Amino acid sequence: MTEGAIGIDIGGTTTAIGIIDKSGEVLAERVIDTARHGDIEKFIAEIESRIDEEFRELEKKNIKPAIKGIGIGAPNGNYYKGTIEYAPNLTFKGVVPFVELMKKKFAYETIVLTNDANAAAIGEMIYGGAKHMKNFIVITLGTGLGSGLVVNGELVYGHDGFAGELGHVTVVRGGRMCPTGRRGSLETYASATGIKRTVFELLADSIEDSELRDISFNQLTSKMIYEAAVKGDPIALQAFDVTAKYLGEALADTVMHTSPEAIFLFGGLASAGDMIIKPTKEYMERDLLKIFQNKVQILPSKLEGAKAAFLGASALVWKEISN
Amino acid sequence: MTEGAIGIDIGGTTTAIGIIDKSGEVLAERVIDTARHGDIEKFIAEIESRIDEEFRELEKKNIKPAIKGIGIGAPNGNYYKGTIEYAPNLTFKGVVPFVELMKKKFAYETIVLTNDANAAAIGEMIYGGAKHMKNFIVITLGTGLGSGLVVNGELVYGHDGFAGELGHVTVVRGGRMCPTGRRGSLETYASATGIKRTVFELLADSIEDSELRDISFNQLTSKMIYEAAVKGDPIALQAFDVTAKYLGEALADTVMHTSPEAIFLFGGLASAGDMIIKPTKEYMERDLLKIFQNKVQILPSKLEGAKAAFLGASALVWKEISN
């Protein structure tokens, strides 16, 4: 009988739920609206009914995986406590005892939760480009910047389960406002939102023509910036360079903490490929101490786009069982 | 029979060699001049003869410890390779295969080397204030700034053995020159040398009277700055505040990497106690993301001054054997 795990990726907008076999093959998947319910009990009830649906679908195909547990990736997810705490982009406020609530619905022994970037790192380790690595980092470039640090083959959770918040290191003293009330944190520069803010700063500062001058802040997406850059738009090109500079410089500091073999970029902005990876690497190298130079790879995540998030979450189960 | 280990701390000026029993009691100790020989073979020959001396001294007292190995802390020491690489303050140039050379002289199975700050961290874990901690950091504030990071109860060596170079994260873009040829790294602000440079910057900028106006750069020590600060000297007081600001802000970024339970300050400047610890903590807290606030202690190292370094080095042996 095939062994499998359920992976749940909770995002601000949507939540993806997959049943994945141990080799990483997605057997069934559903996407639900995270915000629709507001109420956490109703949200979990919908997760439960969608998982039931998935099992019925598999049964029809005569696939009956032996499910070993549920892995959950969520913003501000705490591995030790199984809680989601004060996640600014979720409608569930305060401290949500998510694993505890799930255990009331599901009898699996292993139900484990961590933040979404940590789940991505575990996914990279089990199914992606970090299969043979003991020391690496995954950076997720979405609305914000998340990170999962792996040291000696283990995820770094820290003493409280919250380690790996690289999006909040300060890169510009008194710099851009962050939703956390602080200023100048990395994610206000290096993320899908950050590059938008950079475009608007450049449009204000420069007098160069750009197709981005016709797009409002709310309309603009990092994909549009990428497409403009590919066509040679000077503002878009410069925006990628500025983003890479902040990211590369911050990653140099990070390398001097944990000296990883590779740093994987994951998520929307990372799909710009060499447009972001090449200059990020150059800026990083420029700042590194000699003993670290030309050693650390910056690579695109090898997890497949839409499925990557719940694949990572499901991988948490195998990691947990092996510990 | 008492079990023991030999601890060797190699510094730019002196090298301390101790025989320590497993409980951390120093049975014998010697200090030699590191720079005197220049030649690495002669240096190791002197280490050997001093260790012989120590054993003869112990024999007279009828103490015959069962020595389990040798632990060595050295600047730019590489744990994986057992080498000292391009250490700027040592007369031994290039890559020195220190463990290999020691193995020619000593038959112990365990001869292990790491950088001095990592040795201090292992010492803190085995004999100091971090006995029950799994996630902590030791910062050594000497001529430069060194660091040892512990995650999940293990020292972070990174993929290449060089992790934990927090002295070289950039805190001021285009800031003070560093002996590495880079600019603005943390240790040019937060170290015994850094606080001297800050005093001179303040003496140049301000018109306030200060007893430090009578002392040359080469004469000035961090101890003098501390003593002036205790007497209320305004420049000295301000210099501690500036030093704490850079250190605290950098430590906030570090906390967002590994979320340690405590950060221990070790070495000359750390002996200023609350004069440096209190403001460092305040500046760190101001920069932390809410989920990290009021959780991370900043503490003075609990290892006893002069013996701390080789005590940490000897502790490497026990850590190695337990792995």
Side-chain angles (χ1 to χ4, degrees):
Chain A
M1 196 155 66
T2 321
E3 288 193 329
I6 297 169
I8 303 177
D9 177 68
I10 301 175
T13 318
T14 56
T15 292
I17 307 161
I19 299 179
I20 297 99
D21 77 9
K22 207 174 175 178
S23 73
E25 199 195 328
V26 178
L27 304 176
E29 58 185 303
R30 292 288 186 283
V31 174
I32 66 176
D33 190 339
T34 309
R36 190 156 65 98
H37 303 287
D39 183 82
I40 183 71
E41 305 274 0
K42 284 183 195 159
F43 177 63
I44 288 182
E46 181 165 7
I47 288 177
E48 192 189 12
S49 72
R50 296 311 174 98
I51 291 176
D52 285 348
E53 261 177 47
E54 293 183 337
F55 279 122
R56 285 197 300 272
E57 178 191 316
L58 292 180
E59 225 164 289
K60 280 182 201 160
K61 300 184 202 163
N62 215 10
I63 304 172
K64 286 177 192 161
I67 299 298
K68 293 296 178 185
I70 303 177
I72 304 143
N76 287 29
N78 187 294
Y79 170 75
Y80 292 133
K81 296 193 273 177
T83 50
I84 299 174
E85 306 200 0
Y86 309 102
N89 302 320
L90 294 185
T91 47
F92 317 120
K93 297 302 170 200
V95 178
V96 178
F98 201 83
V99 166
E100 195 186 306
L101 293 170
M102 288 291 285
K103 286 200 163 171
K104 286 185 189 162
K105 300 278 187 180
F106 297 92
Y108 304 118
E109 201 181 313
T110 304
I111 301 183
V112 57
L113 175 148
T114 187
N115 83 40
D116 35 3
N118 285 344
I122 297 284
E124 205 68 49
M125 176 154 59
I126 296 191
Y127 299 122
K131 271 180 192 166
H132 307 290
M133 295 184 187
K134 292 271 182 206
N135 294 279
F136 69 94
I137 290 172
V138 170
I139 302 285
T140 65
L141 296 167
T143 313
L145 183 152
S147 63
L149 277 64
V150 174
V151 161
N152 296 333
E154 294 298 327
L155 205 59
V156 178
Y157 287 115
H159 84 289
D160 59 353
F162 285 118
E165 286 290 349
L166 302 196
H168 296 283
V169 303
T170 302
V171 295
V172 180
R173 289 269 136 218
R176 292 180 185 167
M177 279 184 67
C178 176
T180 60
R182 298 151 67 257
R183 277 188 177 275
S185 49
L186 177 60
E187 73 173 21
T188 66
Y189 297 86
S191 65
T193 319
I195 196 169
K196 266 176 68 166
R197 295 170 84 165
T198 298
V199 163
F200 273 69
E201 209 169 79
L202 293 169
L203 289 174
D205 182 61
S206 136
I207 52 169
E208 262 183 297
D209 202 19
S210 164
E211 64 175 84
L212 303 176
R213 291 200 188 272
D214 291 319
I215 305 169
S216 75
F217 190 90
N218 284 338
Q219 276 184 306
L220 185 65
T221 63
S222 59
K223 191 159 173 264
M224 291 175 192
I225 304 168
Y226 172 67
E227 285 163 359
V230 168
K231 285 185 271 175
D233 185 280
I235 296 290
L237 284 168
Q238 221 182 314
F240 270 97
D241 186 65
V242 170
T243 306
K245 179 174 182 292
Y246 286 113
L247 182 57
E249 289 174 352
L251 290 180
D253 285 351
T254 293
V255 166
M256 294 191 277
H257 280 75
T258 65
S259 194
E261 181 174 347
I263 298 169
F264 293 89
L265 302 187
F266 177 99
L269 194 54
S271 57
D274 266 356
M275 183 88 73
I276 185 80
I277 288 179
K278 222 169 141 261
T280 298
K281 168 99 169 137
E282 280 165 20
Y283 283 110
M284 180 186 79
E285 289 291 342
R286 215 176 57 177
D287 262 24
L288 285 174
L289 207 57
K290 200 176 205 82
I291 46 169
F292 297 112
Q293 281 169 4
N294 305 313
K295 282 179 171 180
V296 186
Q297 306 172 73
I298 298 191
L299 299 168
S301 166
K302 275 206 179 160
L303 294 181
E304 195 191 334
K307 292 169 186 173
F310 63 73
L311 205 63
S314 78
L316 282 171
V317 173
W318 308 117
K319 182 71 186 156
E320 192 69 13
I321 290 173
S322 80
N323 280 358
Chain B
M1 195 156 66
T2 321
E3 289 194 327
I6 297 168
I8 302 177
D9 178 67
I10 302 175
T13 319
T14 57
T15 292
I17 307 161
I19 299 179
I20 297 101
D21 77 10
K22 207 175 174 177
S23 71
E25 201 195 329
V26 179
L27 304 175
E29 59 186 300
R30 291 289 185 282
V31 174
I32 65 175
D33 191 336
T34 309
R36 193 156 63 98
H37 303 286
D39 183 83
I40 185 71
E41 306 273 358
K42 285 184 193 157
F43 176 64
I44 288 181
E46 183 166 5
I47 288 176
E48 192 189 11
S49 73
R50 295 312 173 97
I51 290 175
D52 285 347
E53 260 177 49
E54 293 183 337
F55 279 121
R56 287 197 299 274
E57 179 192 315
L58 292 180
E59 225 166 286
K60 280 183 200 159
K61 299 182 200 162
N62 214 10
I63 303 172
K64 287 179 191 159
I67 299 298
K68 293 296 178 186
I70 303 177
I72 303 143
N76 288 29
N78 187 295
Y79 170 76
Y80 292 132
K81 297 193 272 176
T83 49
I84 299 174
E85 305 200 2
Y86 310 102
N89 302 319
L90 295 185
T91 46
F92 318 120
K93 298 301 172 202
V95 177
V96 179
F98 201 83
V99 166
E100 196 185 306
L101 294 170
M102 288 290 286
K103 286 198 162 170
K104 287 187 188 161
K105 301 280 187 179
F106 297 92
Y108 305 118
E109 201 181 314
T110 304
I111 300 183
V112 56
L113 175 148
T114 187
N115 84 40
D116 37 3
N118 285 345
I122 297 285
E124 205 69 50
M125 177 154 61
I126 295 191
Y127 299 122
K131 271 180 193 165
H132 307 291
M133 295 183 187
K134 292 271 181 205
N135 294 278
F136 69 93
I137 290 171
V138 170
I139 302 285
T140 64
L141 296 166
T143 313
L145 183 151
S147 62
L149 277 63
V150 174
V151 161
N152 296 333
E154 295 299 327
L155 205 59
V156 178
Y157 287 114
H159 85 287
D160 60 352
F162 284 119
E165 286 290 349
L166 302 197
H168 295 284
V169 303
T170 303
V171 296
V172 179
R173 290 269 133 217
R176 292 181 185 165
M177 279 182 68
C178 175
T180 60
R182 297 151 68 257
R183 278 189 176 273
S185 50
L186 178 59
E187 73 173 22
T188 65
Y189 296 86
S191 65
T193 319
I195 196 168
K196 266 175 68 165
R197 294 170 85 165
T198 298
V199 162
F200 273 69
E201 209 169 80
L202 293 170
L203 289 174
D205 182 62
S206 136
I207 51 168
E208 263 184 297
D209 202 19
S210 164
E211 64 175 84
L212 304 176
R213 292 200 186 271
D214 291 319
I215 306 168
S216 76
F217 191 90
N218 283 338
Q219 276 184 307
L220 185 64
T221 63
S222 59
K223 192 158 172 264
M224 290 175 191
I225 303 168
Y226 171 68
E227 284 162 359
V230 168
K231 286 185 270 174
D233 186 279
I235 296 289
L237 284 168
Q238 221 182 313
F240 270 98
D241 187 65
V242 170
T243 306
K245 179 173 181 293
Y246 285 113
L247 181 58
E249 289 174 353
L251 290 181
D253 285 351
T254 293
V255 166
M256 293 189 279
H257 280 74
T258 65
S259 194
E261 180 174 350
I263 298 169
F264 293 89
L265 302 187
F266 177 100
L269 194 55
S271 57
D274 267 356
M275 183 89 73
I276 185 80
I277 288 179
K278 224 170 139 258
T280 298
K281 167 100 170 136
E282 280 165 20
Y283 283 110
M284 180 186 79
E285 289 290 345
R286 215 175 57 176
D287 263 23
L288 284 175
L289 207 57
K290 200 175 205 83
I291 46 170
F292 297 112
Q293 281 170 5
N294 304 312
K295 282 178 170 180
V296 187
Q297 306 173 73
I298 299 191
L299 299 169
S301 165
K302 275 204 180 161
L303 295 181
E304 197 193 332
K307 293 170 185 173
F310 62 74
L311 205 62
S314 78
L316 281 172
V317 173
W318 307 117
K319 181 70 187 159
E320 192 69 12
I321 290 173
S322 80
N323 279 0

